[in-house]
Amino acid sequence: MIVDYYSEFEGAVRRVKAEGRYRVFADLERKRGQFPIARFHDENGVRDVTVWCSNDYLGMGQNEHVLPAMHKAIESVGAGAGGTRNIAGTTHYHVLLERELATLHGKEAALLFTSGYVGNEATLSTLSSILPGVVILSDAYNHASMIQGIRQGRCEKRIWKHNDLDDLESQLKELPLKQPKIIAFESVYSMDGDIAPISDICDLADKYNAMTYLDEVHAVGLYGEQGGGIAQRDGVQRRIDIIEGTLGKAFGVMGGYIAARASVIDAIRSYASGFIFTTALSPVLVAGALASVQYLKSAGHLRDKHQERAATLKHLLKEAGFPVMPSVSHIVPVLVGDPVACKRVTDLLLSKHNIYVQPINYPTVPRGTERLRLTPSPLHTDDQFQALLRGLDDVWSILRLERAA
C-alpha cells in the first residue's frame, strides 16, 4: 500500500487535538517599557493583556542598560556574526561575554551556544564521546535537552529518582570506582519549582569518583550574590565540574553556555558538532547579554523583589483556596489535573480577563498533573495580582474546578 504522507501528518495532529494538548501560539507584541503588558493580536483586533508565564523573569529583555548596548553593537559591527565561530563568527563581544560568564561561575572558561537547549545537547553528547565507558546518571526530571544529549552520546545511562539521594547512591555503588561517571541534574526544576540538594550530590560525586553536570538555566541571574545561580547561593559552585546556563531567561536575551575548567571547555569547543557547525550568535545579542550579566551581578534588589513577588502570589492564591502546588522557588504552579480543562482555563482567562498564561500539559508534565505555571516578576504590581485572582476565581467557578482543601 502506498503511504499517504500528508494524511499521516494530519492524523498526528488530530491525535494531539483529541488528547486536549494541541498548542495554539498566541500572537503577542511586547510593549517596550511596559512589561508585563503586551499587545495580543487575534481575529477580533488588538488588545492589551498581562503576561503571567514569561521566562524573562526579571524583565531584562527591556532593561534600560541592555537595549542601549544592543543599539551600540549594531551601529558598531552590524547585525550578524558572519558564520560559525571556527570560520568567521568570533567577535570581540563573544570573547568578553565568555570571560564574564566564567567569572560569574568561578570557572576558568566558558563557551557560548545558540541556546540553552543546544548547550545541553551538544555538551552531554560530546562528553560521552570523549570519556570512553562513561555512565551518565540522570535525574528523572531532567529537561528534554539533557535527555536528548545523553541519548545522542549513546553511552550507558541510568535514571535516578528525582532528587532522591538514596537512589542515586545505590546506583553509584553498583558501578566500579574507576569507571567514568557523570551525575547530570538541574538546580531549579521549572515545572514543580523544587531545588536539587546540590551539596549532597557533590558529596556523592566525591565519594564515588564522578563528575557533576549542573543545569542552572532557571536559576542564573535569580539566585546567588551575583546571580550565579543556586550553586553560588549555596556556596558550592567550585564543586561543580560543568555549569550550564541560558541567556534567554533571567538575562532576557538569547543563547546558552557552559562554564568549567579550561581543559573541559577546550575539548567541547573542539569536538561538539552543535558548536562547530552552527552559525554564531549575533554580536548584537551577545552585547545585550553581556550588559545584562554585568548589570545583574550587582542587582540584588531585583532578586529580592522577585522572591517577594513570588512568595506574595503563593500566599494570595492559597488564601483564596486555589490548589497551589508546593514550590520553594520563584515558580508558582497551580494544579488543574486535566488537559482539556487546563486549556479551557487559559482560553477563558485570555478572552474574558485579558490574562495570558499558557496551559502546561503532557509531555511537558506527567498526565494528570496538568497545570498553570505562573511566573511573577518584580514588575508585576499588586493591582495585577488582584486582577489575576479575580480572573481565576471567575474561571474556576465557570468550569467548576476543585478548590484546595
Side-chain angles (χ1 to χ4, degrees):
M1 182 178 176
I2 296 177
V3 176
D4 184 343
Y5 294 104
Y6 298 107
S7 69
E8 293 296 326
F9 292 119
E10 292 164 1
V13 173
R14 279 196 301 272
R15 289 192 293 274
V16 173
K17 288 182 175 179
E19 293 174 15
R21 56 186 184 90
Y22 179 73
R23 302 182 187 211
V24 177
F25 295 151
D27 185 349
L28 293 175
E29 183 183 359
R30 289 171 30 131
K31 299 177 73 170
R32 177 179 171 177
Q34 297 185 45
F35 184 82
I37 302 300
R39 298 181 186 91
F40 173 66
H41 297 255
D42 66 4
E43 62 277 4
N44 298 316
V46 182
R47 67 181 190 275
D48 284 355
V49 299
T50 304
V51 178
W52 279 98
C53 56
S54 175
N55 283 343
D56 184 358
Y57 292 124
L58 303 176
M60 291 300 293
Q62 302 183 24
N63 180 269
E64 60 184 1
H65 299 276
V66 173
L67 300 186
M70 298 179 76
H71 283 292
K72 182 179 178 180
I74 199 168
E75 292 297 331
S76 175
V77 301
T84 67
R85 295 277 295 276
N86 288 300
I87 296 174
T90 292
T91 71
H92 190 53
Y93 287 110
H94 290 78
V95 175
L96 292 176
L97 179 55
E98 286 174 342
R99 288 176 185 168
E100 196 74 38
L101 292 168
T103 302
L104 176 66
H105 294 290
K107 302 300 182 188
E108 293 177 350
L111 186 67
L112 288 170
F113 294 90
T114 50
S115 72
Y117 188 105
V118 173
N120 271 332
E121 186 178 58
T123 304
L124 285 166
S125 62
T126 303
L127 288 170
S128 301
S129 66
I130 292 175
L131 298 170
V134 70
V135 178
I136 298 184
L137 298 100
S138 176
D139 185 285
Y141 282 16
N142 276 345
H143 190 264
S145 58
M146 300 176 75
I147 295 168
Q148 186 63 20
I150 295 167
R151 283 176 180 163
Q152 287 187 356
R154 298 180 181 176
C155 66
E156 181 182 348
K157 66 177 179 182
R158 296 197 172 203
I159 311 299
W160 49 287
K161 296 176 184 176
H162 177 54
N163 278 351
D164 189 324
L165 296 170
D166 291 335
D167 187 47
L168 175 59
E169 182 166 23
S170 70
Q171 297 201 42
L172 286 165
K173 281 180 179 178
E174 295 174 0
L175 300 170
L177 191 64
K178 293 183 178 180
Q179 184 170 15
K181 296 172 283 289
I182 300 171
I183 303 171
F185 61 108
E186 300 181 39
S187 56
V188 175
Y189 288 86
S190 64
M191 291 302 136
D192 291 334
D194 55 343
I195 293 175
I198 299 176
S199 181
D200 294 330
I201 292 172
C202 289
D203 290 342
L204 292 177
D206 292 343
K207 183 176 180 181
Y208 294 99
N209 188 36
M211 288 186 72
T212 47
Y213 182 100
L214 176 62
D215 179 314
E216 287 256 43
V217 297
H218 289 278
V220 291
L222 305 177
Y223 298 87
E225 184 180 355
Q226 295 182 309
I230 298 295
Q232 185 180 83
R233 184 198 72 176
D234 294 351
V236 294
Q237 66 180 3
R238 65 177 178 79
R239 302 182 68 189
I240 301 296
D241 292 296
I242 302 173
I243 292 175
E244 191 266 352
T246 183
L247 304 167
K249 293 183 171 59
F251 292 126
V253 189
M254 180 184 176
Y257 65 89
I258 57 171
R261 285 190 182 182
S263 58
V264 173
I265 297 300
D266 204 19
I268 299 301
R269 180 186 68 84
S270 300
Y271 283 88
S273 294
F275 171 80
I276 294 170
F277 299 106
T278 300
T279 298
L281 283 167
S282 163
V284 180
L285 295 172
V286 177
L290 176 61
S292 183
V293 173
Q294 291 172 333
Y295 174 77
L296 285 179
K297 277 187 173 181
S298 58
H301 65 285
L302 263 185
R303 286 185 279 278
D304 291 342
K305 182 66 173 178
H306 186 226
Q307 291 296 314
E308 179 274 319
R309 294 283 79 186
T312 297
L313 182 58
K314 290 174 191 175
H315 172 74
L316 291 172
L317 289 168
K318 289 176 183 176
E319 195 175 53
F322 293 104
V324 183
M325 302 171 72
S327 165
V328 294
S329 69
H330 58 282
I331 307 296
V332 184
V334 180
L335 182 67
V336 179
D338 175 84
V340 176
C342 200
K343 182 68 168 59
R344 286 285 292 140
V345 167
T346 58
D347 285 348
L348 285 169
L349 285 173
L350 185 58
S351 63
K352 290 193 67 180
H353 299 281
N354 296 323
I355 290 170
Y356 173 68
V357 57
Q358 271 288 354
I360 304 297
N361 291 338
Y362 176 86
T364 307
V365 295
R367 298 180 194 275
T369 68
E370 293 82 4
R371 68 197 67 173
L372 308 181
R373 176 184 174 274
L374 303 173
T375 54
S377 76
L379 303 177
H380 282 86
T381 66
D382 288 340
D383 287 344
Q384 288 166 343
F385 276 26
Q386 292 303 318
L388 174 66
L389 290 169
R390 289 192 298 271
L392 288 170
D393 185 67
D394 178 49
V395 171
W396 242 253
S397 298
I398 290 172
L399 299 179
R400 298 181 181 180
L401 297 175
E402 281 192 36
R403 305 269 180 160

